[in-house]
Amino acid sequence: DRVATAVATVGLAVLLGQSGALWPKHRTGWTRGGTGRPTAHHLAALGRESALYVVAALLAGSTATALGIGHSYWAMVAATVPLVGQSARARVNRGLQRILGTFAGLVLTALVLLPGLAAWQLVVVIAVAQFAAEMFVLRQYALAQAFVTPLALVSTELAHPSDPTGLLADRAIETVIGAAVGIALVLALHAAQRGARSAAAGA
């Protein structure tokens, strides 16, 4: 059943992704700019960015594991969130939004899990949370996280019933650890880049 569900989901996703080909008159034109070949500068930047993601995930995951907290991958995911952005300020703001949005979502999740709803009711909550998360994820990240959190936790609880309070605590702690690691790396990288620019200007 699980394999069939996974295959059906992938098939539906591919169908939706290719649906634009059915109505070509509604598609906008697109042209590739430049040569399309990455330069040495681009490859070096990609390498640095990739290394930053790896370091953030390793530090956050190792910290959560050392503290004996369950679901250490939540910390790893949260650590990569602040790494997205065009500036250090935008990246730090994204990390803070991850924390604030998650804590708002934990309140909603508690209202759903603690009363002990039936399985079909949890499925309805998952559907509503999925819709809301998709609606807000490109508009307001913190608000989207308020719905992503119950979506993730209710799905986890539905698949593997456990103590909801422990699940809520794990999510809160893991998110703070991960976001803090990501923000710290962003600030450290920003300080190093400023130092390098100052040294180059003074040379």
Side-chain angles (χ1 to χ4, degrees):
D1 290 343
R2 295 179 181 178
V3 173
T5 301
V7 171
T9 301
V10 171
L12 177 61
V14 172
L15 179 62
L16 292 175
Q18 298 299 318
S19 60
L22 300 177
W23 296 280
K25 65 179 181 179
H26 296 294
R27 296 167 60 186
T28 57
W30 180 82
T31 57
R32 182 187 298 274
T35 63
R37 297 179 180 177
T39 64
H41 176 73
H42 291 152
L43 292 176
L46 179 61
R48 290 193 299 270
E49 195 75 9
S50 300
L52 188 62
Y53 276 84
V54 171
V55 171
L58 284 176
L59 287 177
S62 299
T63 301
T65 301
L67 294 175
I69 307 170
H71 308 91
S72 59
Y73 58 91
W74 284 342
M76 299 171 71
V77 172
T80 64
V81 169
L83 306 184
V84 179
Q86 297 298 319
S87 65
R89 181 188 296 272
R91 291 182 169 193
V92 171
N93 284 339
R94 189 173 174 86
L96 295 176
Q97 287 182 25
R98 175 76 178 203
I99 296 174
L100 294 176
T102 296
F103 275 77
L106 288 174
V107 174
L108 295 178
T109 307
L111 295 176
V112 172
L113 293 183
L114 295 182
L117 300 180
W120 71 267
Q121 294 172 316
L122 295 180
V123 171
V124 172
V125 170
I126 291 172
V128 172
Q130 178 71 60
F131 175 78
E134 295 294 340
M135 290 297 293
F136 291 109
V137 69
L138 294 179
R139 295 172 175 82
Q140 222 297 325
Y141 184 74
L143 187 57
Q145 281 303 307
F147 296 103
V148 169
T149 299
L151 171 63
L153 298 191
V154 173
S155 299
T156 300
E157 183 66 16
L158 186 62
H160 303 286
S162 61
D163 178 18
T165 56
L167 197 65
L168 295 170
D170 282 354
R171 184 71 171 197
I173 299 172
E174 300 275 5
T175 298
V176 171
I177 290 174
V181 168
I183 290 173
L185 286 176
V186 167
L187 294 177
L189 179 62
H190 179 64
Q193 290 174 340
R194 288 187 62 181
R197 286 195 296 266
S198 298

XYZ file of all heavy atoms in Angstrom, residues 49 52-54 56-57 60 73-102 137 141-142 144-145 148 171 174-186:
419
model
N 29.376 27.578 -0.930
C 27.988 27.515 -0.451
C 27.620 26.096 -0.030
O 26.977 25.877 0.995
C 27.049 27.998 -1.554
C 25.634 28.318 -1.102
C 25.537 29.621 -0.338
O 26.534 30.375 -0.297
O 24.464 29.886 0.223
N 29.182 25.260 3.254
C 28.493 25.934 4.359
C 27.267 25.134 4.788
O 26.997 24.976 5.986
C 28.086 27.346 3.927
C 27.522 28.261 5.020
C 28.566 28.503 6.108
C 27.078 29.585 4.411
N 26.520 24.607 3.820
C 25.348 23.788 4.139
C 25.745 22.516 4.875
O 25.091 22.103 5.842
C 24.590 23.435 2.859
C 23.620 24.498 2.405
C 24.044 25.587 1.648
C 22.275 24.414 2.720
C 23.162 26.564 1.224
C 21.381 25.382 2.297
C 21.831 26.457 1.560
O 20.941 27.430 1.153
N 26.815 21.886 4.409
C 27.274 20.644 5.044
C 27.711 20.904 6.481
O 27.342 20.165 7.407
C 28.425 20.022 4.226
C 29.043 18.854 4.997
C 27.923 19.555 2.870
N 26.838 23.391 8.469
C 25.675 23.756 9.295
C 24.902 22.516 9.719
O 24.537 22.362 10.896
C 24.771 24.714 8.528
N 24.636 21.626 8.767
C 23.879 20.415 9.085
C 24.644 19.514 10.056
O 24.057 18.959 11.006
C 23.560 19.655 7.799
N 24.694 21.172 13.668
C 23.388 21.119 14.318
C 23.007 19.684 14.669
O 22.541 19.403 15.783
C 22.330 21.740 13.414
N 17.352 15.259 12.892
C 17.303 15.806 11.537
C 16.512 17.109 11.488
O 16.690 17.914 10.571
C 16.708 14.783 10.558
C 15.324 14.301 10.912
C 14.191 14.952 10.411
C 15.139 13.191 11.721
C 12.920 14.517 10.729
C 13.873 12.745 12.040
C 12.763 13.405 11.539
O 11.500 12.974 11.864
N 15.624 17.335 12.466
C 14.917 18.617 12.515
C 15.906 19.757 12.748
O 15.764 20.834 12.177
C 13.868 18.599 13.621
C 12.640 17.813 13.265
C 12.244 17.433 12.026
C 11.651 17.308 14.175
N 11.075 16.730 12.098
C 10.684 16.634 13.394
C 11.498 17.361 15.560
C 9.567 16.024 13.965
C 10.385 16.757 16.121
C 9.433 16.095 15.339
N 16.888 19.512 13.589
C 17.914 20.535 13.825
C 18.741 20.767 12.572
O 19.113 21.908 12.253
C 18.818 20.116 14.985
N 19.038 19.704 11.841
C 19.840 19.820 10.629
C 19.110 20.645 9.572
O 19.700 21.502 8.905
C 20.175 18.426 10.095
C 20.984 17.589 11.067
S 21.175 15.860 10.560
C 22.299 16.055 9.181
N 17.812 20.401 9.425
C 17.024 21.167 8.456
C 16.943 22.632 8.872
O 17.114 23.546 8.052
C 15.613 20.568 8.319
C 14.728 21.467 7.461
C 15.682 19.173 7.708
N 16.690 22.872 10.159
C 16.580 24.250 10.658
C 17.888 25.009 10.489
O 17.892 26.229 10.277
C 16.162 24.247 12.125
N 19.015 24.312 10.556
C 20.319 24.967 10.426
C 20.564 25.495 9.021
O 21.304 26.468 8.832
C 21.432 24.004 10.819
N 19.950 24.867 8.022
C 20.161 25.309 6.637
C 19.243 26.467 6.250
O 19.490 27.139 5.243
C 19.938 24.147 5.653
O 18.568 23.711 5.718
C 20.849 22.975 5.992
N 18.198 26.694 7.021
C 17.237 27.748 6.685
C 17.870 29.136 6.642
O 17.646 29.904 5.692
C 16.044 27.721 7.667
C 15.175 28.958 7.502
C 15.221 26.461 7.450
N 18.689 29.544 7.630
C 19.284 30.888 7.583
C 20.314 31.077 6.480
O 20.770 32.203 6.252
C 19.955 31.028 8.963
C 19.319 29.996 9.819
C 19.007 28.869 8.891
N 20.692 30.028 5.788
C 21.707 30.137 4.749
C 21.122 30.640 3.427
O 21.864 30.900 2.480
C 22.380 28.774 4.525
C 22.967 28.113 5.779
C 23.676 26.830 5.405
C 23.900 29.058 6.514
N 19.808 30.791 3.377
C 19.141 31.261 2.157
C 18.875 32.759 2.279
O 18.234 33.200 3.228
C 17.813 30.516 1.936
C 17.121 31.039 0.688
C 18.059 29.018 1.851
N 19.369 33.531 1.336
C 19.145 34.974 1.372
C 20.232 35.719 0.625
O 21.340 35.205 0.423
N 19.923 36.955 0.239
C 20.861 37.753 -0.534
C 21.830 38.554 0.341
O 22.816 39.086 -0.149
C 20.083 38.720 -1.441
C 19.223 38.017 -2.477
C 20.040 37.184 -3.445
O 21.101 37.602 -3.885
N 19.550 36.000 -3.769
N 21.541 38.663 1.627
C 22.400 39.430 2.528
C 22.398 38.773 3.893
O 21.549 37.925 4.197
C 21.896 40.877 2.647
O 20.621 40.914 3.266
N 23.363 39.175 4.735
C 23.438 38.619 6.083
C 22.181 38.973 6.875
O 21.659 38.148 7.642
C 24.686 39.147 6.794
N 21.679 40.198 6.701
C 20.470 40.618 7.412
C 19.280 39.734 7.019
O 18.517 39.283 7.878
C 20.163 42.083 7.107
C 18.930 42.618 7.839
C 18.582 44.001 7.321
N 19.641 44.948 7.609
C 19.731 45.646 8.737
N 18.811 45.484 9.681
N 20.728 46.499 8.925
N 19.134 39.494 5.713
C 18.021 38.670 5.243
C 18.146 37.240 5.772
O 17.139 36.612 6.138
C 17.978 38.666 3.721
N 19.353 36.733 5.844
C 19.559 35.368 6.324
C 19.257 35.244 7.813
O 18.621 34.278 8.253
C 21.001 34.939 6.026
C 21.281 34.761 4.543
C 22.706 34.299 4.285
N 22.886 33.899 2.903
C 23.927 33.224 2.444
N 24.916 32.897 3.274
N 24.015 32.876 1.174
N 19.707 36.221 8.587
C 19.420 36.199 10.025
C 17.916 36.319 10.261
O 17.344 35.612 11.107
C 20.179 37.327 10.747
C 19.707 37.452 12.197
C 21.680 37.055 10.708
N 17.269 37.203 9.513
C 15.818 37.362 9.646
C 15.090 36.057 9.331
O 14.104 35.707 9.994
C 15.314 38.470 8.724
C 15.638 39.851 9.247
O 15.890 40.032 10.442
N 15.641 40.842 8.378
N 15.573 35.342 8.334
C 14.946 34.075 7.972
C 15.097 33.058 9.096
O 14.177 32.290 9.388
C 15.561 33.548 6.673
C 14.844 32.347 6.094
C 15.415 32.011 4.722
N 14.862 30.779 4.190
C 13.731 30.687 3.512
N 13.025 31.772 3.296
N 13.309 29.523 3.051
N 16.260 33.045 9.727
C 16.457 32.145 10.862
C 15.539 32.474 12.024
O 14.966 31.577 12.664
N 15.388 33.765 12.310
C 14.490 34.179 13.386
C 13.039 33.868 13.042
O 12.249 33.468 13.919
C 14.659 35.678 13.650
C 16.030 36.115 14.189
C 16.090 37.628 14.321
C 16.320 35.445 15.533
N 12.687 34.018 11.775
C 11.332 33.681 11.358
C 11.061 32.196 11.521
O 9.948 31.785 11.854
C 11.113 34.094 9.899
C 10.981 35.593 9.693
C 10.725 35.947 8.247
O 10.202 35.144 7.471
N 11.117 37.149 7.856
N 12.095 31.392 11.287
C 11.948 29.945 11.478
C 11.590 29.640 12.932
O 10.692 28.826 13.209
C 13.254 29.239 11.104
C 13.259 27.734 11.367
C 12.473 26.995 10.325
N 12.514 25.553 10.533
C 12.302 24.676 9.569
N 12.025 25.079 8.352
N 12.340 23.381 9.820
N 12.264 30.297 13.862
C 11.998 30.060 15.282
C 10.604 30.550 15.664
O 9.815 29.816 16.276
C 13.065 30.748 16.145
C 14.443 30.120 15.887
C 12.707 30.640 17.629
C 15.577 30.834 16.586
N 10.285 31.792 15.305
C 8.999 32.371 15.677
C 7.842 31.611 15.034
O 6.828 31.321 15.693
C 8.951 33.848 15.264
C 9.927 34.776 15.989
C 9.849 36.190 15.416
C 9.647 34.799 17.486
N 7.973 31.289 13.759
C 6.922 30.551 13.078
C 6.726 29.165 13.647
O 5.591 28.686 13.791
N 7.831 28.515 14.002
C 7.737 27.175 14.581
C 7.036 27.210 15.928
O 6.177 26.354 16.217
C 9.138 26.561 14.735
O 9.726 26.395 13.440
C 9.066 25.209 15.432
N 3.923 30.080 1.858
C 5.364 29.837 1.878
C 6.135 30.837 1.016
O 7.284 31.191 1.340
C 5.662 28.379 1.439
C 5.353 28.181 -0.044
C 7.108 28.022 1.743
N 7.399 33.703 5.292
C 7.991 32.440 5.745
C 7.559 32.079 7.161
O 7.250 30.920 7.442
C 9.513 32.542 5.654
C 10.209 31.250 6.004
C 10.193 30.182 5.113
C 10.875 31.094 7.209
C 10.811 28.989 5.417
C 11.497 29.908 7.525
C 11.467 28.854 6.628
O 12.080 27.661 6.940
N 7.536 33.050 8.063
C 7.170 32.756 9.453
C 5.747 32.230 9.532
O 5.458 31.272 10.265
C 7.330 34.010 10.318
N 4.092 30.751 7.149
C 4.071 29.416 6.554
C 4.530 28.370 7.561
O 3.960 27.270 7.644
C 4.955 29.384 5.312
N 5.558 28.698 8.355
C 6.052 27.758 9.358
C 5.014 27.457 10.429
O 5.019 26.378 11.020
C 7.318 28.314 10.015
C 8.561 28.150 9.184
C 8.821 26.706 8.816
O 8.860 25.830 9.673
N 8.997 26.450 7.536
N 3.413 24.692 8.647
C 4.302 23.559 8.348
C 4.537 22.730 9.610
O 4.613 21.491 9.546
C 5.642 24.069 7.794
C 6.664 22.934 7.724
C 5.449 24.677 6.414
N 10.641 19.291 18.885
C 10.586 20.236 17.761
C 11.077 21.623 18.186
O 11.809 22.289 17.438
C 9.149 20.338 17.250
C 8.963 21.222 16.024
C 9.538 20.584 14.782
N 9.183 21.325 13.571
C 9.261 20.845 12.343
N 9.703 19.606 12.155
N 8.933 21.574 11.292
N 15.000 21.384 18.910
C 15.744 21.143 17.667
C 15.745 22.390 16.782
O 16.766 22.725 16.157
C 15.118 19.978 16.903
C 15.086 18.664 17.648
C 16.358 17.875 17.508
O 17.309 18.393 16.898
O 16.404 16.742 18.016
N 14.612 23.081 16.719
C 14.524 24.275 15.878
C 15.448 25.371 16.392
O 16.148 26.032 15.609
C 13.077 24.793 15.824
O 12.241 23.790 15.239
C 12.974 26.068 15.002
N 15.451 25.579 17.692
C 16.312 26.612 18.273
C 17.783 26.273 18.040
O 18.580 27.144 17.645
C 16.031 26.774 19.780
C 17.068 27.686 20.424
C 14.628 27.337 20.003
N 18.152 25.013 18.251
C 19.541 24.596 18.031
C 19.942 24.821 16.571
O 20.980 25.426 16.267
C 19.733 23.115 18.408
C 19.624 22.929 19.920
C 21.089 22.600 17.907
C 19.664 21.476 20.365
N 19.125 24.319 15.663
C 19.456 24.423 14.251
C 19.526 25.861 13.767
O 20.493 26.260 13.106
N 18.519 26.655 14.095
C 18.500 28.044 13.649
C 19.659 28.829 14.251
O 20.275 29.669 13.577
C 17.170 28.698 14.013
N 19.978 28.547 15.512
C 21.094 29.246 16.165
C 22.418 28.916 15.484
O 23.261 29.801 15.274
C 21.151 28.863 17.641
N 22.615 27.652 15.116
C 23.838 27.255 14.413
C 23.921 27.954 13.060
O 24.965 28.495 12.678
C 23.880 25.725 14.232
C 24.988 25.331 13.248
C 24.107 25.036 15.569
N 22.812 27.954 12.323
C 22.810 28.602 11.017
C 23.075 30.091 11.107
O 23.874 30.636 10.329
N 22.435 30.767 12.061
C 22.641 32.209 12.232
C 24.082 32.505 12.630
O 24.699 33.459 12.148
C 21.657 32.756 13.281
C 20.230 32.733 12.725
C 22.027 34.182 13.689
C 19.164 33.095 13.746
N 24.637 31.669 13.525
C 26.023 31.873 13.950
C 26.988 31.750 12.773
O 27.935 32.543 12.637
C 26.378 30.862 15.043
N 26.754 30.785 11.899
C 27.618 30.619 10.729
C 27.490 31.802 9.774
O 28.485 32.267 9.202
C 27.273 29.320 10.006
C 27.728 28.023 10.680
C 27.230 26.818 9.898
C 29.247 27.979 10.788
N 26.264 32.288 9.602
C 26.051 33.448 8.732
C 26.799 34.664 9.265
O 27.471 35.385 8.513
C 24.542 33.757 8.604
C 24.313 35.133 7.975
C 23.856 32.681 7.777
